[in-house]
Amino acid sequence: MPREYSLHQTRNIGIIAHIDAGKTTVSERILYYTGKKHKIGEVHEGAAEMDWMVQERERGVTITAAATTVFWQVPGEELVRINLIDTPGHIDFTAEVQRSLRVLDGGVVVFDGVAGVEPQSETVYHQAEKFSVPLIAFVNKMDRMGADFYADIASIHERLTPSARPIQLPIGAESNFKGIIDLFTRRATVYYDEMGKDMRDEDVPQDMKELVEKYRAELIEAIVEQDDKLMQQYLGGKEPPIEELKRVLRQAVIHNKIMPVFCGSALKNKGVQSLLDGICTYLPSPLDVPPLEGTIPDTDKKEIRKADDNEPFSALAFKIATDPFVGRLCYFRVYSGQLPAGSYILNTTTGNKERVSRIVRMHANQRDEINEVFAGDIAAIVGLKNTRTGDTLCDPDHPITLENIVFPEPVISIAVEPKTKIDQEKMGVVISKLVEEDPTFKVKVDENTGQTIISGMGEFHLEIIVDRLKREFKVDVNVGQPQVAYKETISQTVEIQGKYVHQSGGRGQYGDCWLRLEPLERGKGFEFVDEIKGGTIPREYIPAVKKGVIESMANGVLAGFPLVDMKVAVFDGSYHEVDSSEAAFKIAASRAIKEGTLKAKAVLLEPVMKIEVMVPEKFMGEIIGDLNSRRAQIQGTRTRGQMRVIDATVPLGEMFSYTTVLRSLTEGRGNSNLEFSNYAEVPMNVQNKIVEKGKSTIK
Ligand SMILES: Nc1nc2c(ncn2[C@@H]2O[C@H](COP(=O)(O)OP(=O)(O)OP(=O)(O)O)[C@@H](O)[C@H]2O)c(=O)[nH]1
Ligand SMILES: [Mg+2]
């Protein structure tokens, strides 16, 4: 069956922003204006279709990225199919944004017309930058009290990029916001009804003419700078035709040279149609982005896969979800080739071959069965068993491995205890399902207490997981207090011998190795080097040494937290012809690590967070004082609208339930955003307390 829409008519885009900027509200309007839905569902009424999870509807917060497909036609142009992903803004669900951006070709970054650039807008902007995802911006909430388009633009210029250029201007603001001016055409769209359907094309209001000319000239200059021919024309005193300007602007957006800024109010149904036009006109089709490069398995050879149906099939699995009706769903993005249902694919990440029996196109939590997918598509496979997030799926005759997706490590954990034996049995299965779905959710069993410890990105993340355990999967659990995910590392280089010699009747045990432990830079993880010369330890025992090292690094000597940022070299040792074994070398290595890390002055590392606290001026002193008592380092203060903003870094361990404290200190008017920054050494006096506690309670 041939494809229905050409690649040229396809857009794969994500909506990204800080929490509450209005991503889901924009998405719901997109569903409405494209005719996908006939009634608008509001987030605050728990009725948004894209926020389909109970937890999302109750809290009015997006937790999981939801995908849908809509169609839109710019007058005079071809119909375009838009595959759209609405992502969460809360930092605890950053993995959802990361994996979406990895497979999308473009994005709409939404800003709150009152607040401007907020911390998560910066984070998602930089994530998009990392994957070179072209962006257009939408300044939303122009109807809200305090909305100021020009202040928003200034804050985008200051905090994100000087390349942001308004291509529209709002008419009025706050409750007077009534229309939008298109800078290219110098025409105003004025809204006359609540649903944004009665939109009239009018002249630019007299009192805005000068402003329009100013911003229009800036826009056109920024565009002609991108193209020599247009520049000459422009310098010669002739303005290039609008069609030409739009063509060059499209290229500038695709190459991340200009970020056009749209404006509106999603809630009041204003500006979404022109945003849709902008998505079609300026964001890339799969043909406009560079072809993907992959590696041929078991070689260093690189190969590219072009966005073309006739190339061998290649795709990336970017999300695993459990659907109550059809079971395991694997969301994937096709980069090249085509895949009819019923065919076999090779998962080059795991080496498994699997049959693709059913393919579905997703609309939030609903599915439409389709027979085939083509290059550039985003869809889901039902029933793949052995595929995880980040795996490459491809044509078994043309294997290739695409770059995997890297996720941040969890920073906080809690103990969960099943209430009954039945709960215990269910819990294991359910948790492993959730671990499959969410790459930033981890589980381990504490060596000493036997308790199950789950870890995630923040208190909210774990609260949602526990809620899903209880309600979605009916597993009743008691949970402990949240604990910071500390780590351990060493602060000095040492050389240490680990020896395990055991004689007991028959065959004995003999393992002996010398290890050098060296601290590595923060964030470098673990490195193992084999420096054995002259066979002092036979080759076949080296992997056992490495295994012993890795296993013992899972529980550090100070308080049982995992050891990180350490290089281990095995450089000497001895063996016994008869008694040496893999097991003996493993034990020897693990002894060396236990003793060596103590000698190398093990220290505790804690997650340090970036925090932004917004408070009215009169609370500044008190809030800074409170932050200081939490070992915060104040980086500076700023003004945002009527509020003052404090930027600081602070250890996560000092910040549990901070939101509640902040509310009570500021009569409910303060607000804060916490985001992981780095791991840093814990001061000795604090470390001693944690180590004592770690010895007596769970980690
Ligand atoms: N006044 C006003 N409120 C808006 C507008 N757009 C969204 N809101 C409201 O802002 C709140 C957050 O909107 P959402 O669409 O859920 O925001 P979001 O960006 O999807 O939030 P998360 O997914 O949780 O990050 C809701 O109460 C919306 O009704 C707007 O244009 N004007
Ligand atoms: Mg949302």
Side-chain angles (χ1 to χ4, degrees):
M1 210 180 76
R3 57 157 67 237
E4 284 171 84
Y5 294 89
S6 70
L7 268 170
H8 169 74
Q9 291 165 279
T10 304
R11 300 287 177 277
N12 291 315
I13 64 139
I15 314 261
I16 56 173
H18 186 84
I19 189 162
D20 261 2
K23 297 171 291 294
T24 305
T25 309
V26 169
S27 306
E28 290 296 315
R29 269 52 184 185
I30 289 181
L31 295 179
Y32 177 71
Y33 290 114
T34 55
K36 182 103 186 172
K37 271 181 77 174
H38 300 293
K39 201 170 160 287
I40 288 172
E42 296 294 5
V43 174
H44 55 264
E45 289 163 3
E49 211 153 293
M50 300 296 272
D51 279 354
W52 56 270
M53 289 171 66
V54 232
Q55 288 80 4
E56 294 181 313
R57 293 193 157 192
E58 285 170 358
R59 294 169 173 79
V61 170
T62 305
I63 292 165
T64 185
T68 188
T69 302
V70 297
F71 297 89
W72 186 252
Q73 190 162 20
V74 178
E77 301 286 330
E78 288 176 310
L79 186 67
V80 171
R81 176 159 82 186
I82 306 171
N83 297 315
L84 180 117
I85 296 184
D86 173 30
T87 66
H90 197 289
I91 186 68
D92 285 11
F93 309 111
T94 186
E96 290 290 282
V97 184
Q98 215 150 331
R99 59 168 141 212
S100 304
L101 284 172
R102 170 72 172 75
V103 299
L104 292 167
D105 301 319
V108 177
V109 45
V110 179
F111 296 94
D112 181 322
V114 182
V117 176
E118 296 169 274
Q120 255 322 79
S121 346
E122 270 183 70
T123 307
V124 294
Y125 180 85
H126 294 309
Q127 280 171 335
E129 212 175 27
K130 193 171 123 213
F131 295 117
S132 305
V133 175
L135 297 174
I136 62 178
F138 182 66
V139 172
N140 187 33
K141 302 200 182 183
M142 279 310 300
D143 63 298
R144 256 187 75 192
M145 241 224 330
D148 183 344
F149 180 73
Y150 305 95
D152 255 45
I153 297 288
S155 97
I156 298 172
H157 282 166
E158 186 199 339
R159 304 197 60 154
L160 297 184
T161 168
S163 72
R165 289 277 159 247
I167 79 164
Q168 302 180 323
L169 294 185
I171 306 177
E174 308 180 330
S175 57
N176 265 332
F177 174 58
K178 49 178 184 282
I180 294 163
I181 295 166
D182 179 331
L183 288 178
F184 278 127
T185 59
R186 298 184 175 96
R187 298 297 303 167
T189 301
V190 182
Y191 293 86
Y192 282 90
D193 72 334
E194 271 295 295
M195 292 320 284
K197 280 193 159 170
D198 183 3
M199 321 185 299
R200 300 185 200 162
D201 177 57
E202 297 181 1
D203 287 336
V204 170
Q206 197 58 38
D207 62 351
M208 283 189 72
K209 285 206 161 127
E210 210 174 303
L211 201 63
V212 166
E213 289 314 310
K214 173 176 174 275
Y215 278 92
R216 187 173 191 276
E218 278 179 21
L219 172 67
I220 290 176
E221 271 161 31
I223 297 173
V224 298
E225 263 174 30
Q226 307 294 322
D227 185 293
D228 288 346
K229 210 178 107 222
L230 292 199
M231 183 59 137
Q232 279 176 9
Q233 208 176 342
Y234 185 72
L235 291 177
K238 201 163 155 253
E239 186 181 297
I242 292 178
E243 289 323 304
E244 272 296 286
L245 290 169
K246 286 192 172 174
R247 185 186 59 77
V248 173
L249 176 55
R250 173 179 176 78
Q251 289 308 316
V253 173
I254 291 172
H255 295 102
N256 299 94
K257 295 274 177 25
I258 298 180
M259 179 166 79
V261 186
F262 296 74
C263 64
S265 158
L267 187 69
K268 298 290 160 69
N269 309 305
K270 294 186 177 75
V272 177
Q273 292 101 323
S274 49
L275 180 66
L276 272 161
D277 287 349
I279 290 171
C280 299
T281 310
Y282 303 114
L283 288 177
S285 82
L287 292 172
D288 299 312
V289 292
L292 207 66
E293 192 179 70
T295 315
I296 306 300
D298 306 322
T299 71
D300 291 334
K301 221 177 122 212
K302 303 275 182 204
E303 233 176 66
I304 57 162
R305 291 284 185 266
K306 285 198 279 257
D308 184 337
D309 298 343
N310 298 317
E311 288 259 309
F313 174 75
S314 71
L316 191 82
F318 66 94
K319 183 176 164 89
I320 303 295
T322 314
D323 182 288
F325 300 102
V326 297
R328 202 164 186 270
L329 275 176
C330 165
Y331 287 66
F332 67 120
R333 152 82 196 245
V334 184
Y335 284 96
S336 59
Q338 40 190 302
L339 181 77
S343 34
Y344 279 87
I345 43 122
L346 172 69
N347 178 329
T348 43
T349 318
T350 62
N352 290 317
K353 223 165 134 179
E354 286 194 75
R355 183 164 178 272
V356 175
S357 52
R358 289 171 65 196
I359 307 174
V360 292
R361 206 178 280 296
M362 297 302 296
H363 169 58
N365 59 340
Q366 296 151 37
R367 304 152 307 273
D368 283 329
E369 188 128 1
I370 49 177
N371 297 322
E372 197 167 3
V373 282
F374 300 91
D377 269 337
I378 288 179
I381 303 174
V382 178
L384 276 194
K385 285 197 189 63
N386 296 314
T387 299
R388 300 154 313 182
T389 299
D391 288 0
T392 303
L393 309 176
C394 64
D395 178 347
D397 295 330
H398 297 90
I400 191 163
T401 311
L402 306 175
E403 198 184 320
N404 209 315
I405 315 175
V406 185
F407 293 104
E409 288 289 315
V411 287
I412 169 172
S413 47
I414 47 169
V416 287
E417 241 169 38
K419 283 199 177 151
T420 67
K421 193 138 196 308
I422 299 169
D423 290 321
Q424 175 149 30
E425 282 159 12
K426 273 200 283 185
M427 188 172 86
V429 182
V430 171
I431 287 193
S432 57
K433 246 189 216 174
L434 293 174
V435 167
E436 271 188 356
E437 281 184 22
D438 182 348
T440 51
F441 173 57
K442 300 265 161 74
V443 58
K444 78 165 199 178
V445 174
D446 186 275
E447 259 191 356
N448 306 319
T449 61
Q451 271 177 317
T452 301
I453 313 290
I454 58 172
S455 6
M457 303 305 294
E459 283 178 275
F460 188 41
H461 186 197
L462 293 179
E463 178 193 323
I464 296 292
I465 299 241
V466 169
D467 190 56
R468 287 186 67 192
L469 269 182
K470 290 183 177 165
R471 290 202 289 169
E472 189 176 328
F473 300 101
K474 313 267 180 298
V475 181
D476 222 352
V477 289
N478 287 320
V479 295
Q481 284 299 313
Q483 307 282 326
V484 167
Y486 293 103
K487 290 182 177 170
E488 297 183 15
T489 193
I490 53 170
S491 51
Q492 290 176 3
T493 301
V494 296
E495 293 188 343
I496 186 93
Q497 183 182 29
K499 204 163 175 181
Y500 179 59
V501 183
H502 194 68
Q503 281 298 340
S504 60
R507 192 185 153 187
Q509 293 282 356
Y510 188 99
D512 171 23
C513 60
W514 274 89
L515 304 181
R516 185 183 321 105
L517 318 184
E518 241 176 276
L520 285 180
E521 235 178 274
R522 274 307 81 77
K524 286 278 188 264
F526 165 65
E527 222 180 281
F528 182 81
V529 195
D530 171 12
E531 290 178 3
I532 293 293
K533 291 200 183 74
T536 46
I537 299 177
R539 282 279 78 91
E540 70 256 38
Y541 296 131
I542 303 293
V545 171
K546 183 173 176 184
K547 205 161 169 219
V549 169
I550 292 176
E551 282 183 16
S552 54
M553 282 178 67
N555 293 285
V557 281
L558 277 182
F561 298 110
L563 268 160
V564 292
D565 301 342
M566 181 166 89
K567 178 171 160 184
V568 179
V570 49
F571 64 95
D572 203 359
S574 65
Y575 69 103
H576 185 278
E577 285 294 349
V578 183
D579 293 348
S580 277
S581 68
E582 287 182 8
F585 272 101
K586 210 177 108 181
I587 299 172
S590 120
R591 286 188 171 176
I593 291 293
K594 294 263 180 271
E595 213 179 305
T597 43
L598 262 187
K599 209 173 139 197
K601 301 253 177 326
V603 288
L604 212 54
L605 299 175
E606 62 182 347
V608 174
M609 314 299 279
K610 247 185 354 199
I611 190 170
E612 194 196 78
V613 189
M614 258 159 307
V615 291
E617 175 81 50
K618 66 170 179 176
F619 300 112
M620 283 282 281
E622 201 173 346
I623 295 301
I624 290 181
D626 175 67
L627 281 171
N628 281 332
S629 74
R630 296 171 188 269
R631 294 195 279 132
Q633 293 192 351
I634 310 290
Q635 314 281 318
T637 60
R638 292 175 278 141
T639 302
R640 179 186 289 156
Q642 307 297 314
M643 303 282 262
R644 297 281 288 157
V645 181
I646 306 160
D647 291 303
T649 57
V650 62
L652 175 62
E654 305 286 339
M655 295 307 282
F656 288 127
S657 309
Y658 182 66
T659 331
T660 323
V661 176
L662 180 63
R663 282 212 189 103
S664 70
L665 288 179
T666 58
E667 297 159 10
R669 294 170 64 200
N671 214 330
S672 70
N673 286 293
L674 204 60
E675 186 179 327
F676 174 72
S677 165
N678 59 291
Y679 268 89
E681 224 172 279
V682 179
M684 205 35 89
N685 57 337
V686 183
Q687 170 165 324
N688 292 339
K689 274 188 222 150
I690 298 167
V691 169
E692 274 318 302
K693 206 167 144 218
K695 283 184 180 144
S696 59
T697 61
I698 53 121
K699 267 104 20 199

